[in-house]
Amino acid sequence: MTQRSGESALALSFKALSDPTRLRLLSLVAAHENGEASVVDLTEPLNLTQPTVSHHLKILVDAGLLTRDKRGVWSIYALVPGALGTLGSYLRDAEAAWT
């Protein structure tokens, strides 16, 4: 991966996290049993429709923050291991460079 594509991936991840609904989705998925959840598990806590939740989940998957595993007719979402740690490391490194 080139530095430019790495920066683009970081920007995409941070952009995905800039939405409060998506932050809440990450939290709900992480807190759900086995760290996995389906759209059905997430609509009621967010008080949003299935299409809206699916839209936000797709953005999080495209940003590399969640995985999507098709199980029969269900799509199961889980955090990508280490993805949030990578973002945190980037911010720590950036902060160290700025100070």
Side-chain angles (χ1 to χ4, degrees), residues 1 7 15 22-23 36 38 40 42-44 49-50 56 62 69 91 96-97:
M1 177 180 342
E7 291 169 352
K15 183 177 179 181
R22 291 191 284 269
L23 282 174
E36 300 179 329
S38 70
V40 173
L42 302 168
T43 54
E44 186 177 327
T49 64
Q50 180 273 325
H56 286 294
D62 291 347
D69 181 32
L91 291 174

Side-chain angles (χ1 to χ4, degrees), residues 50-85:
Q50 180 273 325
T52 300
V53 172
S54 292
H55 167 75
H56 286 294
L57 289 168
K58 181 181 182 328
I59 291 170
L60 291 167
V61 169
D62 291 347
L65 299 169
L66 290 179
T67 61
R68 178 180 171 261
D69 181 32
K70 194 81 163 138
R71 297 183 193 162
V73 297
W74 299 99
S75 290
I76 305 299
Y77 296 88
L79 291 176
V80 170
L84 296 177

